Amino acid sequence: QISDPEACDQMYESLVRIHTNFYKNKYPRLKDTTFTGVTVDDCRIILATDILKQMEDMKKGTWKRLQEKFSAKKPEEDSK
């Protein structure tokens, strides 16, 4: 048995509104963006592999880049 059928009906109606996107339809968005303001197309560009590699390179500090640059052996040094 349900102790409070009125509260149960209110909860059920609330869940139905959420399930049917009642508030999404009642208050349509002007632009299709995320909470950060980025559009779906921008997200796809950002998540592309090439862009991720570029961003990882940009995140490296100056010391790390210099270390990688000078630690890489040159081809003429290998032949000696």
Side-chain angles (χ1 to χ4, degrees):
Q1 292 292 335
I2 299 172
S3 61
D4 190 4
E6 224 173 273
C8 182
D9 289 341
Q10 286 178 346
M11 283 188 222
Y12 178 77
E13 291 299 320
S14 177
L15 290 172
V16 167
R17 285 192 299 270
I18 292 170
H19 177 70
T20 59
N21 288 328
F22 175 81
Y23 293 106
K24 180 182 177 186
N25 297 328
K26 185 175 180 180
Y27 304 106
R29 299 177 72 170
L30 300 176
K31 296 181 180 178
D32 191 23
T33 59
T34 61
F35 74 97
T36 58
V38 180
T39 62
V40 175
D41 293 331
D42 292 340
C43 286
R44 286 188 186 126
I45 290 171
I46 290 170
L47 294 176
T49 332
D50 296 336
I51 300 296
L52 286 175
K53 288 179 185 176
Q54 288 177 1
M55 289 180 72
E56 285 175 10
D57 289 341
M58 287 172 40
K59 285 182 184 177
K60 290 181 184 176
T62 307
W63 179 250
K64 185 72 174 170
R65 281 193 297 253
L66 287 172
Q67 190 178 19
E68 287 178 358
K69 182 179 178 180
F70 290 113
S71 67
K73 293 183 180 179
K74 296 180 182 175
E76 59 232 17
E77 289 177 5
D78 289 340
S79 61
K80 290 182 182 179

